[in-house]
């Protein structure tokens, strides 16, 4: 009994020590950790970015064929082009409006199961990718560690696509297509809300 | 409670209350110049990204092509370090580092079957570049031979492990690059190319 009490106390002390331990600042880890966290969180904390990236993944899965594998390979590159434009402080017209529009258009494409030709779909996604990349890239020079920030946001975006592709795989099960279309409709509704908000701000 | 147990608990508690901030810069931890050379690149994101990219590319090309890098890359690292120490060779500008990551990422994303000689040349040049960059941490008290041995060992271990990981993941090697495993590796190539492109843009902006 006594031993059990001691064990519990020791576990408590260990847990407390671990929870209150100071962070390790190992070789610029403050900068790297900070940059990586900022990069990972940037696409996740902006709901307009998040839903649009998930929609890109779902639409790619719906289109199937080349779209499902070209998307994860080429999209980051196109987005990086947009990021470079942002880094170089070259302005794009109405960026917030286009990002909101991307969620609306991609959400509708998923909800309505739009079977666009591959080239057209790729062109639409590429234009939106440039604007999303621009928004992320504009933050890059001021990040704690720009390289870590870049790694973070590229990985986060890729994982959001993967999440979208996984949702798209629900179509294999009965009723799955309805769920996907429902998700698409929700994304489109959010996109519409963002669009109205952007227009309200712009007005 | 026995005396021994009580003493052990008190000691443990005392040790836990003495927790210090991790000081993982191995030079100041005085764990030896070999470990300094081995750990410095592994704690530098620029090295981690570039080495991982090279390992992924070599692994995606198969064991027959990739195994040359086990020797070529560490040799490049040692030569770079030696050139920096003996000839005062300066590290390459950031745009060259970024362009290297971009090129390796593009080669990986495109699943190009580049010749072994080109892969070896790429690995050697990258090794020299990173060897020079890692020489920046040398201080007059550092044992250069130990530091170089540590750096070369880290290069050998990192490249071998990453290649092995990719080979195990892509197995069988005869599987087409359009299989989901191939696509996953190529997608990482796309990510790496994107990172390289952004870093190139940043170096142009600053």
């Amino acid at each position: 009994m006594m031993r059990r009490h001691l064990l519990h106390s020791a576990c408590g002390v260990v847990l407390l020590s671990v929870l209150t331990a100071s962070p390790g600042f190992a070789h610029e880890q403050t900068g790297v950790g900070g940059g990586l966290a900022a990069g990972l969180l940037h696409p996740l904390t902006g709901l307009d970015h998040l839903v649009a990236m998930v929609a890109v993944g779902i639409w790619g899965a719906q289109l199937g064929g080349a779209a499902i594998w070209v998307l994860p390979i080429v999209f980051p590159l196109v987005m990086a082009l947009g990021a470079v434009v942002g880094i170089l402080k070259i302005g794009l017209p109405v960026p917030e409006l286009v990002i909101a529009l991307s969620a609306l258009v991609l959400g509708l494409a998923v909800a309505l199961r739009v079977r666009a030709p591959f080239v057209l779909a790729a062109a639409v996604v590429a234009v939106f990718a440039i604007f999303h990349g621009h928004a992320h890239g504009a933050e890059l020079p001021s990040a704690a560690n720009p390289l870590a920030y870049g790694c973070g946001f590229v990985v986060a975006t890729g994982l959001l696509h993967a999440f979208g592709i996984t949702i798209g795989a629900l179509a294999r099960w009965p009723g799955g297509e309805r769920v996907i279309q429902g998700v698409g409709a929700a994304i489109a509704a959010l996109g519409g809300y963002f669009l109205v908000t952007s227009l309200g701000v712009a007005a | 409670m026995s005396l021994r147990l009580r003493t052990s608990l008190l000691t443990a508690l005392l040790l836990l209350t003495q927790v210090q901030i991790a000081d993982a810069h191995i030079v100041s931890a005085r764990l030896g110049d070999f470990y300094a050379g081995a750990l410095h690149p592994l704690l530098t994101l620029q090295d981690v990204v570039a080495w991982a990219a090279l390992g992924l590319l070599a692994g995606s090309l198969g064991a027959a092509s990739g195994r040359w890098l086990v020797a070529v890359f560490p040799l490049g690292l040692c030569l770079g370090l030696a050139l920096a120490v003996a000839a005062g060779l300066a590290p390459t500008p950031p745009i060259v580092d970024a362009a290297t990551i971009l090129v390796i990422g593009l080669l990986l994303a495109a699943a190009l079957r580049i010749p072994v000689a080109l892969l070896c040349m790429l690995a050697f040049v990258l090794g020299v570049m990173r060897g020079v960059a890692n020489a920046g941490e040398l201080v007059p008290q550092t044992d250069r031979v130990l530091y170089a041995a540590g750096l070369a060992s880290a290069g050998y271990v990192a490249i071998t492990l990453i290649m092995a990981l990719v080979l195990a993941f892509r197995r069988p090697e005869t599987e087409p690059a359009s299989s989901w495993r191939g696509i996953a590796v190529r997608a990482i190539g796309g990510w790496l190319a994107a990172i390289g492109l952004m870093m190139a843009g940043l170096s142009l902006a600053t």
Side-chain angles (χ1 to χ4, degrees):
Chain A
M1 191 68 178
M2 187 66 170
R3 184 170 288 180
R4 183 173 293 177
H5 276 301
L6 276 171
L7 188 66
H8 285 175
S9 306
C11 286
V13 169
V14 170
L15 188 64
L16 194 68
S17 304
V18 168
L19 289 174
T20 56
S22 305
F25 294 99
H27 192 68
E28 297 183 356
Q29 286 305 306
T30 311
V32 172
L36 196 62
L40 280 169
L41 290 177
H42 201 260
L44 302 178
T45 47
L47 194 60
D48 45 357
H49 291 294
L50 189 147
V51 294
M53 292 305 102
V54 173
V56 166
I58 303 175
W59 199 30
Q62 275 184 330
L63 291 173
I68 202 164
W69 66 268
V70 165
L71 173 76
I73 296 169
V74 176
F75 189 94
L77 271 170
V78 181
M79 205 175 63
L81 277 176
V84 171
V85 174
I87 291 165
L88 296 174
K89 301 195 188 308
I90 299 169
L92 289 178
V94 285
E96 292 300 323
L97 204 76
V98 178
I99 288 171
L101 193 66
S102 71
L104 177 64
V105 170
L106 294 167
L108 282 175
V110 171
L112 303 174
R113 296 179 66 186
V114 175
R115 293 277 169 193
F118 174 66
V119 176
L120 179 65
V124 168
V125 169
V127 170
F128 290 145
I130 298 235
F131 278 82
H132 282 270
H134 184 274
H136 298 311
E139 304 284 325
L140 193 138
S142 58
N145 183 309
L147 176 58
Y149 177 91
C151 293
F153 106 68
V154 168
V155 170
T157 304
L159 292 178
L160 285 175
H161 289 161
F163 182 57
I165 292 170
T166 309
I167 293 176
L170 288 174
R172 294 178 183 182
W173 284 277
E177 192 57 53
R178 293 285 172 211
V179 174
I180 293 168
Q181 286 180 292
V183 172
I187 291 172
L190 277 169
Y193 168 73
F194 294 136
L195 190 63
V196 169
T197 311
S198 301
L199 285 170
V201 170
Chain B
M1 190 190 307
S2 73
L3 184 63
R4 181 179 290 180
L5 185 63
R6 192 179 297 174
T7 312
S8 305
L9 278 174
L10 276 173
T11 310
L13 189 61
L14 191 68
L15 284 172
L16 285 168
T17 54
Q18 298 299 312
V19 171
Q20 296 290 318
I21 292 171
D23 185 7
H25 204 299
I26 209 73
V27 173
S28 57
R30 302 195 186 288
L31 288 176
D33 295 323
F34 177 85
Y35 298 102
L39 284 184
H40 185 264
L42 304 179
L43 299 172
T44 309
L45 192 60
Q46 186 73 42
D47 279 303
V48 171
V49 174
W51 292 23
L54 183 66
L56 283 162
L57 178 66
S60 71
L61 292 173
S65 303
R67 62 168 61 101
W68 291 94
L69 267 57
V70 170
V72 170
F73 184 64
L75 277 175
L77 286 171
C78 287
L79 182 69
L81 196 65
L83 285 172
V85 171
L89 198 64
T92 46
I95 193 160
V96 177
D97 294 333
T100 312
I101 296 172
L102 173 62
V103 168
I104 296 176
L106 285 176
L107 287 172
L108 191 58
L112 277 182
R113 306 289 305 175
I114 59 169
V116 180
L118 184 60
L119 178 68
C120 288
M121 197 178 76
L122 193 62
F124 192 71
V125 170
L126 183 67
V128 171
M129 282 166 52
R130 297 319 304 166
V132 172
N134 276 279
E137 287 302 310
L138 290 173
V139 289
Q141 293 81 18
T142 308
D143 186 320
R144 275 82 198 275
V145 176
L146 279 179
Y147 189 91
L151 184 65
S153 300
Y156 161 74
V157 170
I159 286 292
T160 309
L161 285 180
I162 295 168
M163 277 195 306
L165 202 66
V166 176
L167 284 168
F169 181 71
R170 286 286 311 272
R171 198 170 291 274
E173 283 181 34
T174 49
E175 206 176 34
S178 57
S179 70
W180 77 266
R181 287 168 188 268
I183 291 167
V185 175
R186 291 175 66 185
I188 296 174
W191 295 3
L192 286 165
I195 292 164
L197 187 59
M198 282 187 293
M199 289 306 109
L202 183 66
S203 57
L204 286 174
T206 51

